[in-house]
Amino acid sequence: MRAQPNAAERAPTPSTPPSPARPPSPSPVSWVVSHGTHGTQHTPTHTQLALCHSLTLNLRCQNLTLRVVGPGHPVTATVGQDVVLPCHLSPQRDARTLDVKWIRDRLSETVHHYHNGEDLYGEQTGAYAGRTELATDGLSVGSLDLLITGLRPSDDGQYVCTVGDADAYDEAIVELEVSATGADPHLSLGGYEDGGVRVLCRSAGWYPLPQLLWRDARGQHLPSVSQTHSQDQEGLFEIEGAVIVTGSIEGPLSCVVRSSRLQQERESSLHIAAPFFHNAQPWMVALALVLVLSAVSIGLGVYLFVKKSKLAVQELSGGRCSAGTPLGVEWVKVTLDPDTAHPWLVVSQDNCSVRLESERQQVPDTPERFDNLGCVLGREEFREGRHCWLVEGEQLKHSRWAVGVARASVKRKGWINMSPEGGIWAVEYNNDYLKPLISSSTLVSLYPVPTRIWVCLNCTHGQVSFINADNGVKIFTFTEASFNGESIRPWFLLVTKRIQLCLRDSTPQTLSPAPGASCPSPDTPASPLLDPAGEAQE
């Protein structure tokens, strides 16, 4: 048997040079296999190199990719409360160097903008000024939560949480549902009608618009004969409904106002005695007794309303601009300034009427001219005193126009904010409704809708009033208007084609235009307007 070689025999002879060491691989991962106390570096294979390259790309992509995550469900809150809209990065990473912006999805309004470590409040939409805060202490861990204080109905809707840098961008949608529970329904009697008694139910302070239901003593629903609603300046809804109750309905009658969003309801009940449904003298006695109880609230309200309407008519006839504004009113003749008219508007030669056409007019594009909406200004400018003028618009189905005043410096180019914040105080006629142009407009449901409106400007007290020229009833008044010392000019808007607005000669002796003083159309001077009754003026 051959003897095993000793250690000296296994060692290489000095005459044999060792193999030169191979240079290390440029791969970012070193492949090392240890043998005892000595580490021997092995060359990576092609498979190992490919795996290493893939790992490197993944690490880099993780640094470049942004993933924004929202709550995944609507955030609910009530009017007046503060709310936090949740949003964060996944996985967590430092967001202090990123561009973070919250916007309204439907309106593309900037709610809050954070960039390069600071809040850019100058880009914020006016409705959110002073009402938002980004939780900056959470940015280091990827939290992008936004605090909104003092919730309003107008805050309801979708918000978009956007995050980006030079290499990546992502966004998440957050749905905010704002709600408000109104007051208990108020029930009142509206008189004898169609063989029964008309009962009215009214409740205010709701958001969104609630349902109004009638129930009898057995819980059966009764159909409403009418139902209306409106919004106040805060955007809260008031709803009113009526039902005719006959003798066949026994027991108490209930009015229920229900919020489908909150799953809450308010209920009030009224018991109508049987004598109400008799046509004989006992019914009249019972009716008189009940009316004594209800007349304290209903009769007083009606009396004050009628008295206020009469005062408005008397003040207009006596040379007053609006109800409660005595003396010092200057009745002015207002004309249109064609140099400010949108290219689609045609102004008459005497500058007393304007119409929206379907073709663009060949007019120069000057800095004074509106280029986005069908607006035109009056020539006259007012800085002090009280002034009134009469405007008539055609009342046609599905038409839309507006009248009012604007600052002389009102924006002429691009999108215009048609509200006091944009320097415009006006009322808009839109599909048989009049409403003030404010962020949360109240629908003024007047029937018939007036087509002749007094526009009364009180520069001294910062007020703009609009009065029904047919009966002297005030439609709406802007109070504490911020004129900022600027000149104020008449302002007009036409949205529907072939509709025209006319300036009437206003005199303190009459609420109606003089006979034969119809406003001619720009192209056909002999063509009269339709009066509110739908008859052509002679």
Side-chain angles (χ1 to χ4, degrees):
M1 180 179 292
R2 184 183 178 189
Q4 294 292 331
N6 56 29
E9 291 176 336
R10 292 197 303 266
T13 60
S15 60
T16 305
S19 300
R22 300 184 64 176
S25 171
S27 171
V29 180
S30 296
W31 304 86
V32 178
V33 180
S34 298
H35 298 278
T37 59
H38 302 282
T40 303
Q41 184 170 352
H42 292 266
T43 302
T45 66
H46 291 291
T47 301
Q48 292 169 338
L49 286 173
L51 177 60
C52 174
H53 183 64
S54 176
L55 291 172
T56 305
L57 288 178
N58 286 338
L59 291 173
R60 290 179 180 176
C61 290
Q62 288 179 3
N63 292 330
L64 295 177
T65 302
L66 291 173
R67 182 167 177 263
V68 182
V69 180
H73 58 81
V75 178
T76 59
T78 58
V79 171
Q81 286 187 340
D82 300 343
V83 66
V84 174
L85 303 184
C87 181
H88 65 275
L89 296 176
S90 179
Q92 289 185 0
R93 58 166 290 185
D94 193 343
R96 288 175 294 184
T97 60
L98 301 178
D99 184 89
V100 180
K101 181 183 286 189
W102 282 86
I103 60 176
R104 290 296 299 269
D105 183 40
R106 178 173 57 87
L107 303 176
S108 296
E109 299 174 340
T110 299
V111 179
H112 196 98
H113 191 187
Y114 173 91
H115 183 70
N116 286 338
E118 62 176 324
D119 299 292
L120 305 181
Y121 291 106
E123 298 181 11
Q124 202 171 32
T125 302
Y128 295 95
R131 299 177 52 226
T132 63
E133 180 181 345
L134 197 67
T136 54
D137 55 345
L139 288 172
S140 60
V141 292
S143 175
L144 314 171
D145 295 354
L146 179 70
L147 170 69
I148 302 179
T149 61
L151 276 183
R152 305 169 182 173
S154 57
D155 296 332
D156 184 82
Q158 284 189 344
Y159 293 74
V160 183
C161 172
T162 71
V163 182
D165 58 14
D167 300 310
Y169 170 89
D170 199 16
E171 65 184 34
I173 295 177
V174 180
E175 183 80 23
L176 175 60
E177 294 183 349
V178 180
S179 56
T181 303
D184 289 335
H186 174 73
L187 293 169
S188 60
L189 300 178
Y192 193 74
E193 183 175 334
D194 295 337
V197 179
R198 186 182 184 92
V199 182
L200 304 175
C201 177
R202 184 179 62 205
S203 182
W206 294 86
Y207 192 86
L209 180 65
Q211 294 177 297
L212 189 148
L213 306 171
W214 295 95
R215 287 201 296 244
D216 61 14
R218 294 170 297 179
Q220 299 296 320
H221 289 285
L222 304 176
S224 296
V225 295
S226 67
Q227 193 168 119
T228 59
H229 67 269
S230 62
Q231 279 182 281
D232 60 20
Q233 293 191 5
E234 284 85 32
L236 298 176
F237 283 96
E238 180 182 77
I239 190 168
E240 180 174 346
V243 67
I244 304 298
V245 181
T246 63
S248 61
I249 299 178
E250 299 179 356
L253 173 71
S254 298
C255 174
V256 179
V257 181
R258 175 185 300 162
S259 170
S260 57
R261 176 173 291 181
L262 290 174
Q263 298 301 315
Q264 294 181 358
E265 62 183 35
R266 302 279 192 184
E267 181 176 355
S268 294
S269 299
L270 176 69
H271 184 84
I272 303 177
F276 252 90
F277 308 105
H278 297 166
N279 291 323
Q281 187 70 21
W283 171 85
M284 298 181 64
V285 174
L287 177 61
L289 292 176
V290 176
L291 288 178
V292 169
L293 299 177
S294 61
V296 175
S297 57
I298 301 175
L300 181 60
V302 172
Y303 168 76
L304 293 176
F305 175 79
V306 173
K307 182 177 180 181
K308 186 176 181 181
S309 300
K310 290 181 178 179
L311 286 175
V313 176
Q314 293 172 0
E315 289 173 352
L316 279 172
S317 301
R320 299 183 179 187
C321 182
S322 63
T325 310
L327 304 177
V329 175
E330 180 183 355
W331 300 86
V332 295
K333 179 177 176 59
V334 170
T335 56
L336 302 172
D337 183 358
D339 293 336
T340 65
H342 186 276
W344 290 60
L345 296 180
V346 177
V347 179
S348 62
Q349 292 184 356
D350 59 1
N351 298 326
C352 79
S353 67
V354 60
R355 185 176 69 239
L356 179 64
E357 286 292 351
S358 58
E359 295 181 359
R360 183 183 180 93
Q361 309 301 307
Q362 298 300 319
V363 292
D365 183 14
T366 61
E368 295 79 15
R369 190 178 303 280
F370 292 94
D371 69 351
N372 187 31
L373 294 174
C375 303
V376 60
L377 295 176
R379 288 183 180 273
E380 292 70 25
E381 297 188 15
F382 307 102
R383 281 182 173 270
E384 57 186 17
R386 288 175 282 188
H387 316 275
C388 290
W389 55 92
L390 184 62
V391 182
E392 180 170 348
E394 287 184 318
Q395 181 185 3
L396 298 179
K397 195 172 183 63
H398 305 306
S399 67
R400 182 181 173 191
W401 46 266
V403 296
V405 300
R407 295 195 189 106
S409 64
V410 67
K411 185 179 178 183
R412 315 291 175 88
K413 305 299 182 183
W415 180 82
I416 300 174
N417 182 4
M418 295 189 297
S419 69
E421 290 77 11
I424 295 174
W425 296 263
V427 293
E428 178 189 44
Y429 176 87
N430 189 355
N431 292 336
D432 297 332
Y433 281 96
L434 278 170
K435 66 175 183 178
L437 290 177
I438 53 180
S439 55
S440 297
S441 293
T442 300
L443 292 177
V444 183
S445 178
L446 302 177
Y447 184 80
V449 175
T451 56
R452 292 177 297 175
I453 299 175
W454 289 113
V455 181
C456 292
L457 169 65
N458 188 330
C459 297
T460 306
H461 294 94
Q463 294 180 349
V464 183
S465 297
F466 301 89
I467 301 170
N468 186 341
D470 297 323
N471 55 22
V473 175
K474 184 170 64 175
I475 299 171
F476 189 81
T477 297
F478 290 93
T479 59
E480 300 180 359
S482 300
F483 297 148
N484 297 334
E486 291 190 40
S487 296
I488 302 300
R489 301 176 65 175
W491 176 87
F492 309 87
L493 169 71
L494 285 168
V495 180
T496 306
K497 295 177 182 178
R498 303 293 182 181
I499 299 299
Q500 75 174 2
L501 293 177
C502 304
L503 291 165
R504 298 292 191 183
D505 290 333
S506 54
T507 58
Q509 285 77 23
T510 178
L511 291 175
S512 303
S518 60
C519 182
S521 68
D523 294 334
T524 54
S527 175
L529 273 176
L530 296 177
D531 64 18
E535 298 293 332
Q537 299 177 357
E538 296 295 326

PDB file of all heavy atoms in Angstrom, residues 64-95:
ATOM      1  N   LEU A  64     -37.747  55.833  -6.368  1.00  0.00           N
ATOM      2  CA  LEU A  64     -38.371  56.732  -7.327  1.00  0.00           C
ATOM      3  C   LEU A  64     -39.888  56.648  -7.296  1.00  0.00           C
ATOM      4  O   LEU A  64     -40.563  57.612  -7.606  1.00  0.00           O
ATOM      5  CB  LEU A  64     -37.862  56.420  -8.743  1.00  0.00           C
ATOM      6  CG  LEU A  64     -36.381  56.663  -9.018  1.00  0.00           C
ATOM      7  CD1 LEU A  64     -36.048  56.247 -10.430  1.00  0.00           C
ATOM      8  CD2 LEU A  64     -36.008  58.113  -8.766  1.00  0.00           C
ATOM      9  N   THR A  65     -40.459  55.517  -6.939  1.00  0.00           N
ATOM     10  CA  THR A  65     -41.902  55.314  -7.021  1.00  0.00           C
ATOM     11  C   THR A  65     -42.596  55.907  -5.799  1.00  0.00           C
ATOM     12  O   THR A  65     -42.153  55.725  -4.675  1.00  0.00           O
ATOM     13  CB  THR A  65     -42.216  53.817  -7.125  1.00  0.00           C
ATOM     14  OG1 THR A  65     -41.557  53.289  -8.276  1.00  0.00           O
ATOM     15  CG2 THR A  65     -43.717  53.601  -7.245  1.00  0.00           C
ATOM     16  N   LEU A  66     -43.716  56.644  -6.070  1.00  0.00           N
ATOM     17  CA  LEU A  66     -44.549  57.171  -4.999  1.00  0.00           C
ATOM     18  C   LEU A  66     -45.897  56.471  -5.060  1.00  0.00           C
ATOM     19  O   LEU A  66     -46.476  56.319  -6.140  1.00  0.00           O
ATOM     20  CB  LEU A  66     -44.754  58.677  -5.159  1.00  0.00           C
ATOM     21  CG  LEU A  66     -43.531  59.572  -4.933  1.00  0.00           C
ATOM     22  CD1 LEU A  66     -43.868  61.007  -5.307  1.00  0.00           C
ATOM     23  CD2 LEU A  66     -43.088  59.506  -3.483  1.00  0.00           C
ATOM     24  N   ARG A  67     -46.401  56.075  -3.924  1.00  0.00           N
ATOM     25  CA  ARG A  67     -47.725  55.482  -3.850  1.00  0.00           C
ATOM     26  C   ARG A  67     -48.503  56.183  -2.753  1.00  0.00           C
ATOM     27  O   ARG A  67     -48.120  56.146  -1.589  1.00  0.00           O
ATOM     28  CB  ARG A  67     -47.640  53.979  -3.569  1.00  0.00           C
ATOM     29  CG  ARG A  67     -49.011  53.300  -3.521  1.00  0.00           C
ATOM     30  CD  ARG A  67     -48.872  51.788  -3.552  1.00  0.00           C
ATOM     31  NE  ARG A  67     -50.171  51.142  -3.437  1.00  0.00           N
ATOM     32  CZ  ARG A  67     -50.683  50.676  -2.291  1.00  0.00           C
ATOM     33  NH1 ARG A  67     -49.957  50.747  -1.181  1.00  0.00           N
ATOM     34  NH2 ARG A  67     -51.861  50.108  -2.268  1.00  0.00           N
ATOM     35  N   VAL A  68     -49.582  56.870  -3.167  1.00  0.00           N
ATOM     36  CA  VAL A  68     -50.403  57.645  -2.243  1.00  0.00           C
ATOM     37  C   VAL A  68     -51.661  56.848  -1.939  1.00  0.00           C
ATOM     38  O   VAL A  68     -52.321  56.333  -2.852  1.00  0.00           O
ATOM     39  CB  VAL A  68     -50.761  59.021  -2.835  1.00  0.00           C
ATOM     40  CG1 VAL A  68     -51.566  59.835  -1.835  1.00  0.00           C
ATOM     41  CG2 VAL A  68     -49.502  59.761  -3.239  1.00  0.00           C
ATOM     42  N   VAL A  69     -52.022  56.751  -0.673  1.00  0.00           N
ATOM     43  CA  VAL A  69     -53.148  55.935  -0.241  1.00  0.00           C
ATOM     44  C   VAL A  69     -54.131  56.808   0.528  1.00  0.00           C
ATOM     45  O   VAL A  69     -53.738  57.555   1.439  1.00  0.00           O
ATOM     46  CB  VAL A  69     -52.685  54.761   0.644  1.00  0.00           C
ATOM     47  CG1 VAL A  69     -53.877  53.913   1.092  1.00  0.00           C
ATOM     48  CG2 VAL A  69     -51.679  53.904  -0.101  1.00  0.00           C
ATOM     49  N   GLY A  70     -55.411  56.737   0.147  1.00  0.00           N
ATOM     50  CA  GLY A  70     -56.474  57.434   0.855  1.00  0.00           C
ATOM     51  C   GLY A  70     -57.178  56.518   1.828  1.00  0.00           C
ATOM     52  O   GLY A  70     -56.788  55.354   2.011  1.00  0.00           O
ATOM     53  N   PRO A  71     -58.260  56.998   2.448  1.00  0.00           N
ATOM     54  CA  PRO A  71     -58.943  56.174   3.457  1.00  0.00           C
ATOM     55  C   PRO A  71     -59.730  55.016   2.865  1.00  0.00           C
ATOM     56  O   PRO A  71     -60.038  54.059   3.577  1.00  0.00           O
ATOM     57  CB  PRO A  71     -59.878  57.174   4.147  1.00  0.00           C
ATOM     58  CG  PRO A  71     -60.126  58.218   3.113  1.00  0.00           C
ATOM     59  CD  PRO A  71     -58.862  58.329   2.320  1.00  0.00           C
ATOM     60  N   GLY A  72     -60.112  55.089   1.576  1.00  0.00           N
ATOM     61  CA  GLY A  72     -60.872  54.006   0.978  1.00  0.00           C
ATOM     62  C   GLY A  72     -62.351  54.038   1.283  1.00  0.00           C
ATOM     63  O   GLY A  72     -63.096  53.139   0.877  1.00  0.00           O
ATOM     64  N   HIS A  73     -62.812  55.052   1.999  1.00  0.00           N
ATOM     65  CA  HIS A  73     -64.228  55.203   2.329  1.00  0.00           C
ATOM     66  C   HIS A  73     -64.506  56.686   2.533  1.00  0.00           C
ATOM     67  O   HIS A  73     -63.579  57.468   2.817  1.00  0.00           O
ATOM     68  CB  HIS A  73     -64.588  54.406   3.586  1.00  0.00           C
ATOM     69  CG  HIS A  73     -63.777  54.809   4.785  1.00  0.00           C
ATOM     70  ND1 HIS A  73     -64.066  55.921   5.553  1.00  0.00           N
ATOM     71  CD2 HIS A  73     -62.654  54.271   5.326  1.00  0.00           C
ATOM     72  CE1 HIS A  73     -63.172  56.041   6.518  1.00  0.00           C
ATOM     73  NE2 HIS A  73     -62.297  55.043   6.407  1.00  0.00           N
ATOM     74  N   PRO A  74     -65.753  57.148   2.396  1.00  0.00           N
ATOM     75  CA  PRO A  74     -66.060  58.568   2.595  1.00  0.00           C
ATOM     76  C   PRO A  74     -65.789  59.006   4.027  1.00  0.00           C
ATOM     77  O   PRO A  74     -66.016  58.255   4.986  1.00  0.00           O
ATOM     78  CB  PRO A  74     -67.553  58.661   2.251  1.00  0.00           C
ATOM     79  CG  PRO A  74     -67.837  57.453   1.412  1.00  0.00           C
ATOM     80  CD  PRO A  74     -66.923  56.385   1.913  1.00  0.00           C
ATOM     81  N   VAL A  75     -65.291  60.216   4.151  1.00  0.00           N
ATOM     82  CA  VAL A  75     -65.099  60.847   5.460  1.00  0.00           C
ATOM     83  C   VAL A  75     -66.339  61.679   5.745  1.00  0.00           C
ATOM     84  O   VAL A  75     -66.728  62.521   4.928  1.00  0.00           O
ATOM     85  CB  VAL A  75     -63.838  61.728   5.470  1.00  0.00           C
ATOM     86  CG1 VAL A  75     -63.692  62.421   6.821  1.00  0.00           C
ATOM     87  CG2 VAL A  75     -62.602  60.897   5.154  1.00  0.00           C
ATOM     88  N   THR A  76     -66.989  61.449   6.872  1.00  0.00           N
ATOM     89  CA  THR A  76     -68.228  62.142   7.207  1.00  0.00           C
ATOM     90  C   THR A  76     -67.996  63.127   8.337  1.00  0.00           C
ATOM     91  O   THR A  76     -67.232  62.857   9.271  1.00  0.00           O
ATOM     92  CB  THR A  76     -69.321  61.140   7.610  1.00  0.00           C
ATOM     93  OG1 THR A  76     -68.866  60.383   8.745  1.00  0.00           O
ATOM     94  CG2 THR A  76     -69.620  60.183   6.464  1.00  0.00           C
ATOM     95  N   ALA A  77     -68.667  64.265   8.250  1.00  0.00           N
ATOM     96  CA  ALA A  77     -68.572  65.288   9.288  1.00  0.00           C
ATOM     97  C   ALA A  77     -69.785  66.198   9.166  1.00  0.00           C
ATOM     98  O   ALA A  77     -70.485  66.201   8.148  1.00  0.00           O
ATOM     99  CB  ALA A  77     -67.280  66.094   9.146  1.00  0.00           C
ATOM    100  N   THR A  78     -70.037  66.980  10.210  1.00  0.00           N
ATOM    101  CA  THR A  78     -71.191  67.875  10.225  1.00  0.00           C
ATOM    102  C   THR A  78     -70.744  69.315  10.099  1.00  0.00           C
ATOM    103  O   THR A  78     -69.595  69.668  10.393  1.00  0.00           O
ATOM    104  CB  THR A  78     -72.000  67.697  11.526  1.00  0.00           C
ATOM    105  OG1 THR A  78     -71.147  67.950  12.654  1.00  0.00           O
ATOM    106  CG2 THR A  78     -72.548  66.289  11.628  1.00  0.00           C
ATOM    107  N   VAL A  79     -71.666  70.148   9.642  1.00  0.00           N
ATOM    108  CA  VAL A  79     -71.387  71.567   9.435  1.00  0.00           C
ATOM    109  C   VAL A  79     -70.935  72.204  10.750  1.00  0.00           C
ATOM    110  O   VAL A  79     -71.511  71.967  11.809  1.00  0.00           O
ATOM    111  CB  VAL A  79     -72.648  72.281   8.899  1.00  0.00           C
ATOM    112  CG1 VAL A  79     -72.448  73.792   8.878  1.00  0.00           C
ATOM    113  CG2 VAL A  79     -72.978  71.771   7.510  1.00  0.00           C
ATOM    114  N   GLY A  80     -69.884  73.018  10.667  1.00  0.00           N
ATOM    115  CA  GLY A  80     -69.349  73.699  11.843  1.00  0.00           C
ATOM    116  C   GLY A  80     -68.222  72.968  12.530  1.00  0.00           C
ATOM    117  O   GLY A  80     -67.451  73.572  13.285  1.00  0.00           O
ATOM    118  N   GLN A  81     -68.085  71.674  12.296  1.00  0.00           N
ATOM    119  CA  GLN A  81     -67.020  70.901  12.921  1.00  0.00           C
ATOM    120  C   GLN A  81     -65.708  71.039  12.153  1.00  0.00           C
ATOM    121  O   GLN A  81     -65.666  71.557  11.041  1.00  0.00           O
ATOM    122  CB  GLN A  81     -67.407  69.424  12.982  1.00  0.00           C
ATOM    123  CG  GLN A  81     -68.444  69.068  14.019  1.00  0.00           C
ATOM    124  CD  GLN A  81     -68.645  67.561  14.115  1.00  0.00           C
ATOM    125  OE1 GLN A  81     -68.305  66.815  13.202  1.00  0.00           O
ATOM    126  NE2 GLN A  81     -69.209  67.101  15.227  1.00  0.00           N
ATOM    127  N   ASP A  82     -64.628  70.551  12.778  1.00  0.00           N
ATOM    128  CA  ASP A  82     -63.343  70.402  12.100  1.00  0.00           C
ATOM    129  C   ASP A  82     -63.208  68.955  11.640  1.00  0.00           C
ATOM    130  O   ASP A  82     -63.717  68.035  12.291  1.00  0.00           O
ATOM    131  CB  ASP A  82     -62.186  70.755  13.043  1.00  0.00           C
ATOM    132  CG  ASP A  82     -62.262  72.181  13.555  1.00  0.00           C
ATOM    133  OD1 ASP A  82     -62.997  72.985  12.953  1.00  0.00           O
ATOM    134  OD2 ASP A  82     -61.590  72.494  14.548  1.00  0.00           O
ATOM    135  N   VAL A  83     -62.512  68.754  10.517  1.00  0.00           N
ATOM    136  CA  VAL A  83     -62.374  67.406   9.988  1.00  0.00           C
ATOM    137  C   VAL A  83     -60.955  67.218   9.469  1.00  0.00           C
ATOM    138  O   VAL A  83     -60.322  68.166   8.999  1.00  0.00           O
ATOM    139  CB  VAL A  83     -63.398  67.138   8.857  1.00  0.00           C
ATOM    140  CG1 VAL A  83     -63.115  67.994   7.645  1.00  0.00           C
ATOM    141  CG2 VAL A  83     -63.425  65.665   8.481  1.00  0.00           C
ATOM    142  N   VAL A  84     -60.435  65.985   9.579  1.00  0.00           N
ATOM    143  CA  VAL A  84     -59.128  65.628   9.047  1.00  0.00           C
ATOM    144  C   VAL A  84     -59.334  64.688   7.860  1.00  0.00           C
ATOM    145  O   VAL A  84     -59.974  63.641   7.992  1.00  0.00           O
ATOM    146  CB  VAL A  84     -58.248  64.954  10.115  1.00  0.00           C
ATOM    147  CG1 VAL A  84     -56.941  64.457   9.490  1.00  0.00           C
ATOM    148  CG2 VAL A  84     -57.947  65.913  11.250  1.00  0.00           C
ATOM    149  N   LEU A  85     -58.798  65.078   6.712  1.00  0.00           N
ATOM    150  CA  LEU A  85     -58.840  64.227   5.527  1.00  0.00           C
ATOM    151  C   LEU A  85     -57.563  63.389   5.505  1.00  0.00           C
ATOM    152  O   LEU A  85     -56.471  63.929   5.323  1.00  0.00           O
ATOM    153  CB  LEU A  85     -58.941  65.069   4.256  1.00  0.00           C
ATOM    154  CG  LEU A  85     -60.135  66.019   4.171  1.00  0.00           C
ATOM    155  CD1 LEU A  85     -60.148  66.717   2.815  1.00  0.00           C
ATOM    156  CD2 LEU A  85     -61.439  65.286   4.405  1.00  0.00           C
ATOM    157  N   PRO A  86     -57.658  62.065   5.702  1.00  0.00           N
ATOM    158  CA  PRO A  86     -56.460  61.226   5.809  1.00  0.00           C
ATOM    159  C   PRO A  86     -55.860  60.897   4.447  1.00  0.00           C
ATOM    160  O   PRO A  86     -56.561  60.658   3.470  1.00  0.00           O
ATOM    161  CB  PRO A  86     -56.963  59.968   6.510  1.00  0.00           C
ATOM    162  CG  PRO A  86     -58.405  59.897   6.153  1.00  0.00           C
ATOM    163  CD  PRO A  86     -58.887  61.313   5.973  1.00  0.00           C
ATOM    164  N   CYS A  87     -54.511  60.862   4.415  1.00  0.00           N
ATOM    165  CA  CYS A  87     -53.769  60.507   3.208  1.00  0.00           C
ATOM    166  C   CYS A  87     -52.332  60.224   3.626  1.00  0.00           C
ATOM    167  O   CYS A  87     -51.777  60.933   4.471  1.00  0.00           O
ATOM    168  CB  CYS A  87     -53.846  61.661   2.187  1.00  0.00           C
ATOM    169  SG  CYS A  87     -52.997  61.351   0.628  1.00  0.00           S
ATOM    170  N   HIS A  88     -51.704  59.187   3.058  1.00  0.00           N
ATOM    171  CA  HIS A  88     -50.331  58.869   3.457  1.00  0.00           C
ATOM    172  C   HIS A  88     -49.605  58.155   2.314  1.00  0.00           C
ATOM    173  O   HIS A  88     -50.224  57.655   1.363  1.00  0.00           O
ATOM    174  CB  HIS A  88     -50.311  57.998   4.722  1.00  0.00           C
ATOM    175  CG  HIS A  88     -50.908  56.638   4.522  1.00  0.00           C
ATOM    176  ND1 HIS A  88     -52.261  56.390   4.624  1.00  0.00           N
ATOM    177  CD2 HIS A  88     -50.334  55.439   4.215  1.00  0.00           C
ATOM    178  CE1 HIS A  88     -52.495  55.112   4.401  1.00  0.00           C
ATOM    179  NE2 HIS A  88     -51.348  54.510   4.149  1.00  0.00           N
ATOM    180  N   LEU A  89     -48.293  58.117   2.438  1.00  0.00           N
ATOM    181  CA  LEU A  89     -47.452  57.403   1.483  1.00  0.00           C
ATOM    182  C   LEU A  89     -47.281  55.959   1.932  1.00  0.00           C
ATOM    183  O   LEU A  89     -47.177  55.668   3.135  1.00  0.00           O
ATOM    184  CB  LEU A  89     -46.080  58.070   1.378  1.00  0.00           C
ATOM    185  CG  LEU A  89     -46.029  59.485   0.823  1.00  0.00           C
ATOM    186  CD1 LEU A  89     -44.609  60.031   0.865  1.00  0.00           C
ATOM    187  CD2 LEU A  89     -46.560  59.523  -0.600  1.00  0.00           C
ATOM    188  N   SER A  90     -47.256  55.048   0.979  1.00  0.00           N
ATOM    189  CA  SER A  90     -47.039  53.637   1.289  1.00  0.00           C
ATOM    190  C   SER A  90     -46.018  53.068   0.300  1.00  0.00           C
ATOM    191  O   SER A  90     -46.227  53.128  -0.919  1.00  0.00           O
ATOM    192  CB  SER A  90     -48.356  52.866   1.196  1.00  0.00           C
ATOM    193  OG  SER A  90     -48.150  51.493   1.464  1.00  0.00           O
ATOM    194  N   PRO A  91     -44.897  52.521   0.803  1.00  0.00           N
ATOM    195  CA  PRO A  91     -44.503  52.456   2.208  1.00  0.00           C
ATOM    196  C   PRO A  91     -44.116  53.834   2.750  1.00  0.00           C
ATOM    197  O   PRO A  91     -43.964  54.784   2.000  1.00  0.00           O
ATOM    198  CB  PRO A  91     -43.293  51.505   2.183  1.00  0.00           C
ATOM    199  CG  PRO A  91     -42.718  51.702   0.817  1.00  0.00           C
ATOM    200  CD  PRO A  91     -43.880  51.910  -0.096  1.00  0.00           C
ATOM    201  N   GLN A  92     -43.937  53.879   4.065  1.00  0.00           N
ATOM    202  CA  GLN A  92     -43.608  55.157   4.698  1.00  0.00           C
ATOM    203  C   GLN A  92     -42.273  55.692   4.180  1.00  0.00           C
ATOM    204  O   GLN A  92     -41.321  54.941   3.973  1.00  0.00           O
ATOM    205  CB  GLN A  92     -43.515  54.996   6.221  1.00  0.00           C
ATOM    206  CG  GLN A  92     -44.842  54.780   6.912  1.00  0.00           C
ATOM    207  CD  GLN A  92     -44.695  54.758   8.425  1.00  0.00           C
ATOM    208  OE1 GLN A  92     -43.591  54.907   8.951  1.00  0.00           O
ATOM    209  NE2 GLN A  92     -45.794  54.574   9.127  1.00  0.00           N
ATOM    210  N   ARG A  93     -42.254  57.009   3.959  1.00  0.00           N
ATOM    211  CA  ARG A  93     -41.005  57.667   3.598  1.00  0.00           C
ATOM    212  C   ARG A  93     -41.151  59.141   3.928  1.00  0.00           C
ATOM    213  O   ARG A  93     -42.242  59.669   4.126  1.00  0.00           O
ATOM    214  CB  ARG A  93     -40.671  57.483   2.118  1.00  0.00           C
ATOM    215  CG  ARG A  93     -41.726  57.993   1.162  1.00  0.00           C
ATOM    216  CD  ARG A  93     -41.209  58.096  -0.253  1.00  0.00           C
ATOM    217  NE  ARG A  93     -40.238  59.162  -0.405  1.00  0.00           N
ATOM    218  CZ  ARG A  93     -39.696  59.519  -1.564  1.00  0.00           C
ATOM    219  NH1 ARG A  93     -40.021  58.852  -2.664  1.00  0.00           N
ATOM    220  NH2 ARG A  93     -38.829  60.500  -1.646  1.00  0.00           N
ATOM    221  N   ASP A  94     -40.058  59.831   4.006  1.00  0.00           N
ATOM    222  CA  ASP A  94     -40.039  61.248   4.357  1.00  0.00           C
ATOM    223  C   ASP A  94     -40.629  62.062   3.210  1.00  0.00           C
ATOM    224  O   ASP A  94     -40.177  61.984   2.066  1.00  0.00           O
ATOM    225  CB  ASP A  94     -38.608  61.688   4.641  1.00  0.00           C
ATOM    226  CG  ASP A  94     -38.550  63.050   5.318  1.00  0.00           C
ATOM    227  OD1 ASP A  94     -39.567  63.778   5.272  1.00  0.00           O
ATOM    228  OD2 ASP A  94     -37.495  63.388   5.889  1.00  0.00           O
ATOM    229  N   ALA A  95     -41.670  62.846   3.510  1.00  0.00           N
ATOM    230  CA  ALA A  95     -42.339  63.656   2.483  1.00  0.00           C
ATOM    231  C   ALA A  95     -42.023  65.141   2.615  1.00  0.00           C
ATOM    232  O   ALA A  95     -42.633  65.955   1.923  1.00  0.00           O
ATOM    233  CB  ALA A  95     -43.853  63.441   2.568  1.00  0.00           C
TER     234      ALA A  95
END
